Amino acid sequence: MAEAKLDLIPVPTRILTEKDDIVDSIERYTKGKIGPDDLLCTAESVVAITQGRFVRPEDLKITRVAQFCCRFIPDYGSLASPHGMQSLMDVEGKWRVAFALFAGFLGKLVGQSGLFYKWGGEQTALIDDVTGTMPPFDKCIVYGPKDPNEVVKKIQQRLGCFGAMIADVNDLKRSRVVGVTDKVDGQMAAKLLIDNPFGNASQKTPICIIKNYRQYQESQKSQK
């Protein structure tokens, strides 16, 4: 099977807020642009914002445990600030996070990485600290979206596209699936987003359409 020609199309929007419905917004801004063989991708932070899943740093009560634990996170991480760490502890539990951090440290000593993110709770890898998303929410800490797999199902049904995916992508060449519909190879799709087509600043492009994704996925699997 010949490999299908892909085209990644970033879709500009206005600033989406907690007053918007993410499915309605995606339908509005992709009207006439998406077909039955396409994959609709959206940034996880925008989905979370429309669900009201964010907190202002000044509304957090910082504990000494959070102040201590954040020191062990690399400076580029969203949990490296006391506010970022406290936001995680508020949703996943203070002692659970502290234990996971300690276990992660011990794991690295024996060559096993990722334990902190495995045991610290779902939000450990999803929280965006301040400046991690588009204005005016760059002054907020944004959690990961709620029920991402249900959200993508609703998007797919509304648009009639091949599939839908919520992804966590950044400029450090990290691309991770947060929610994805059936029949879509999430890891394959995530690699296509590695250069981060989502614009979280002045670009205002939190949506990306991968044209002809169905044919591309089928052609890739037929070559294995």
Side-chain angles (χ1 to χ4, degrees):
M1 181 182 295
E3 184 174 312
K5 182 180 179 181
L6 287 177
D7 192 9
L8 273 66
I9 303 176
V11 179
T13 71
R14 61 170 172 77
I15 293 293
L16 301 179
T17 74
E18 70 275 20
K19 296 180 181 179
D20 292 295
D21 179 273
I22 189 62
V23 181
D24 290 344
S25 298
I26 289 175
E27 181 182 33
R28 182 185 313 119
Y29 287 106
T30 61
K31 187 174 181 179
K33 300 177 181 177
I34 193 163
D37 293 325
D38 302 339
L39 176 64
L40 186 288
C41 303
T42 184
E44 52 93 19
S45 58
V46 172
V47 178
I49 286 169
T50 61
Q51 295 174 332
R53 292 180 58 78
F54 57 89
V55 62
R56 292 173 175 80
E58 59 268 25
D59 294 333
L60 294 169
K61 184 178 180 181
I62 308 300
T63 63
R64 291 184 178 179
V65 177
Q67 290 176 326
F68 176 76
C69 288
C70 72
R71 299 175 184 176
F72 299 93
I73 302 296
D75 290 342
Y76 57 80
S78 290
L79 304 177
S81 73
H83 294 90
M85 182 61 71
Q86 187 63 54
S87 68
L88 175 64
M89 290 181 168
D90 285 350
V91 294
E92 299 291 1
K94 176 172 64 176
W95 298 116
R96 174 183 183 174
V97 173
F99 169 79
L101 189 63
F102 179 68
F105 173 74
L106 294 181
K108 287 182 178 179
L109 295 179
V110 295
Q112 189 171 359
S113 61
L115 293 182
F116 172 53
Y117 293 96
K118 179 180 180 180
W119 292 342
E122 179 185 33
Q123 292 298 319
T124 306
L126 294 178
I127 286 176
D128 285 328
D129 200 357
V130 291
T131 75
T133 189
M134 66 181 63
F137 297 98
D138 57 337
K139 296 179 176 61
C140 297
I141 296 167
V142 180
Y143 295 104
K146 181 180 179 181
D147 300 326
N149 286 321
E150 291 302 314
V151 174
V152 292
K153 286 180 184 178
K154 291 178 181 178
I155 294 170
Q156 180 191 34
Q157 291 169 0
R158 182 77 67 86
L159 300 183
C161 52
F162 172 63
M165 183 169 77
I166 299 171
D168 179 15
V169 187
N170 63 29
D171 293 331
L172 300 176
K173 301 292 183 179
R174 186 187 72 173
S175 179
R176 193 170 67 86
V177 178
V178 178
V180 67
T181 51
D182 295 339
K183 299 183 180 180
V184 174
D185 185 326
Q187 298 306 315
M188 184 181 296
K191 291 179 180 178
L192 297 175
L193 299 174
I194 200 71
D195 290 325
N196 194 10
F198 301 126
N200 281 350
S202 59
Q203 304 98 323
K204 301 191 188 77
T205 53
I207 302 167
C208 179
I209 300 170
I210 304 182
K211 300 295 291 184
N212 302 315
Y213 179 79
R214 185 208 299 259
Q215 297 99 317
Y216 173 80
Q217 180 174 284
E218 291 175 353
S219 67
Q220 291 296 302
K221 291 188 174 182
S222 69
Q223 295 173 17
K224 294 182 179 180

